[in-house]
Amino acid sequence: MTTTPVWSVDPRTGKQREQVAVEATSREVDEAVRAAHAARGPLADAAVRAAFLRTAAALLDEAAAHVIEAADAETALGPGRLTGELARTTGQLRAFADAVDEGSYLDVRIDRADPSLSPPRPDLRRYKVPLGVVAVYAASNFPLAFSVPGGDTASALAAGCPVVVKAHPDHPATSELCASLLRRAAVSNGLPPDVVAVVHGFDAGLELIRHPLVAAAGFTGSVRGGRALFDAAAARPVPIPFHGELGSLNPVVVTPAAAAERAEEIGAGLAASVTLGVGQFCVKPGLVLVPEGPDGDRLTAELDKALGETEPGVLLDHRMRENFVSGVRERAALPGVEAPVTPGSGGDHTVGAGYLTVRAGDLLAGDGHDVLLEECFGPVTVVVRYAGQGEAGAVLGRLGGNLSATLQLSAAETEGAPGPAAELIGQVTRLAGRIVVNGWPTGVAVAPAQHHGGPYPAATSHSTSVGGTAIERWLRPVAYQSVPDALLPPELRDANPLGLPRRVTGG
């Protein structure tokens, strides 16, 4: 049998570091899924799940130096960035452990029987149960927080769902290391190690989404890859939920009043957001509406300065580098498009940051300009100079769904009086899952109220992949009607033996 090696590659040089694994065969994917499916029973104990998640967080923290070294060697993201990402990852694991202990994610609702109603109401009790094995497709740009030990895995395990992760080829060694720590955490809490498994290879990813025992999937990546998996999930004999985060332009609108008030501050902030992580954040602002005129010119002058002083950086792999360079070249060649700070190749293994600019009228006229409304992964943004709110609104009307939308407003505009700012809030709310005012979208707080998703193509569902409600993706509701108390699940019994928060109607 032919085996295909899986190599860890240094993006700073393009050279292979070590062979980490081999691509999983169809039989090996089947074995991993069946072993995960068999682990559902032990994972059903909520107290054990919570302890497992906390142990996983502790083991990752203990191995922090090793994990960060491995991730940096494969992604070139740097120890500072990765230290923060690891803290976010372990924080997520602990937050979901707390959610399991607290129990409100089960959404227990009890409507006691009431024969006096018309029609009479029977005894109804409802809560949520885990779906089953979850397939997780790891992200390239977050080797920890959106990969093997990341939010999809943590939330699925918290829901009681075993996980099989399709590792991303950009960080296979990091994936194997993190998987070994999660599996150790499982065993130390009396769980089978197969509650978490990792497979490698493109074909393995397709086998995984098609496996009849996989009950749901989570994905973070490109529109092309995500849509192919989404379609495969829907084409199964039994379709399954596919929660994919795909592409996002993350538009920014700078109002004329904001530009007049603080053009230089906005220009500097924009440059920092565009270049954070070498422009490889899924919420990087990729399209910025800046008013025409002197105030807008002051903003772009500051952007020129800040981007011009930015050192070239290394992207996650050389394929992404080639796509970035060719994508910028294609956009810069369009009629009316200029490159005041030219983004593109910064050397054999690096890229330089920059931006493109175009008038709103030219963008709206066509001539192939729709490509400017598509995400370009890397340190580049498109500045669209607009004349009046009508033009800005017309550009926004051309956009698909986004993870975020940002408004830069003046102090007077933030006072909340009805007017253009309120209209803008309404318009971008239809476009995005998170609205930011006078900040920048890069940096997604892990918090109960967070929503990381949006209309297609930002995501394939209306769920969030960040925050406490991410657990809801891996659960389904079940109602029990007129079931004797002794036969009910413990979560729904009158005595409430688990001490869960519940909403009860009737006597």
Side-chain angles (χ1 to χ4, degrees), residues 407-496:
L407 302 181
Q408 295 292 338
L409 306 177
S410 68
E413 289 172 320
T414 61
E415 293 176 357
E423 293 175 16
L424 275 173
I425 289 281
Q427 186 166 16
V428 298
T429 295
R430 293 189 289 272
L431 294 175
R434 178 168 58 106
I435 312 303
V436 180
V437 171
N438 290 352
W440 297 102
T442 39
V444 182
V446 180
Q450 185 59 272
H451 185 81
H452 190 61
Y456 186 85
T460 59
S461 74
H462 297 308
S463 302
T464 179
S465 61
V466 177
T469 55
I471 195 173
E472 296 173 359
R473 297 174 295 168
W474 321 120
L475 298 161
R476 67 176 179 89
V478 179
Y480 295 80
Q481 180 174 326
S482 303
V483 176
D485 192 73
L487 300 181
L488 286 167
E491 293 86 350
L492 299 178
R493 293 175 189 165
D494 283 335
N496 194 12

Side-chain angles (χ1 to χ4, degrees), residues 361-390:
D362 291 333
L363 176 62
L364 294 168
D367 295 328
H369 286 76
D370 281 353
V371 71
L372 297 173
L373 306 180
E374 298 174 6
E375 179 182 16
C376 187
F377 195 70
V380 64
T381 193
V382 176
V383 172
V384 180
R385 303 299 297 269
Y386 70 92
Q389 188 165 349

Side-chain angles (χ1 to χ4, degrees), residues 19-311:
Q19 182 181 337
V20 173
V22 295
E23 294 187 0
T25 64
S26 177
R27 178 181 59 81
E28 289 166 338
V29 172
D30 179 63
E31 290 173 350
V33 174
R34 291 186 182 279
H37 183 74
R40 292 174 303 144
L43 199 59
D45 188 311
V48 171
R49 291 204 306 277
F52 162 41
L53 292 169
R54 292 191 178 99
T55 302
L59 290 177
L60 284 163
D61 281 339
E62 289 173 12
H66 192 189
V67 170
I68 291 167
E69 180 183 18
D72 181 52
E74 293 187 305
T75 67
L77 289 173
R81 149 72 193 274
L82 291 167
T83 297
E85 187 179 334
L86 180 58
R88 173 198 178 116
T89 303
T90 57
Q92 286 180 150
L93 288 162
R94 293 186 176 98
F96 282 114
D98 292 343
V100 173
D101 283 342
E102 192 267 339
S104 63
Y105 72 97
L106 293 171
D107 194 23
V108 177
R109 296 167 183 254
I110 297 175
D111 293 326
R112 300 194 189 281
D114 190 341
S116 69
L117 296 176
S118 180
R121 183 178 67 208
D123 186 274
L124 286 167
R125 299 171 186 236
R126 177 185 187 272
Y127 82 136
K128 293 181 179 179
V129 299
L131 292 175
V133 178
V134 169
V136 170
Y137 292 81
S140 62
N141 55 341
F142 281 86
L144 306 174
F146 282 87
S147 293
V148 172
D152 284 350
T153 297
S155 58
L157 292 170
C161 297
V163 171
V164 179
V165 183
K166 189 275 180 186
H168 197 280
D170 279 352
H171 38 77
T174 308
S175 298
E176 287 291 338
L177 172 58
C178 291
S180 71
L181 295 171
L182 265 62
R183 290 165 69 89
R184 273 179 53 196
V187 171
S188 69
N189 285 280
L191 293 169
D194 299 312
V195 295
V196 178
V198 169
V199 296
H200 298 268
F202 177 83
D203 290 341
L206 293 176
E207 293 285 345
L208 189 58
I209 199 69
R210 294 168 179 159
H211 197 287
L213 294 180
V214 168
F219 170 90
T220 303
S222 68
V223 174
R224 182 180 177 184
R227 183 56 193 255
L229 290 170
F230 175 73
D231 291 346
R236 291 167 38 128
V238 179
I240 59 172
F242 182 87
H243 300 286
E245 178 196 318
L246 311 185
S248 184
L249 201 58
N250 308 298
V252 177
V253 180
V254 182
T255 67
E261 188 174 85
R262 47 192 180 88
E264 289 78 12
E265 176 188 329
I266 294 171
L270 173 60
S273 189
V274 167
T275 58
L276 187 64
V278 201
Q280 298 173 111
F281 277 55
C282 50
V283 286
K284 179 202 74 176
L287 185 82
V288 188
L289 286 156
V290 174
E292 292 183 351
D295 295 324
D297 293 344
R298 288 193 295 118
L299 189 157
T300 56
E302 185 63 31
L303 183 63
D304 290 353
K305 176 184 175 184
L307 291 178
E309 294 173 350
T310 301
E311 293 294 323

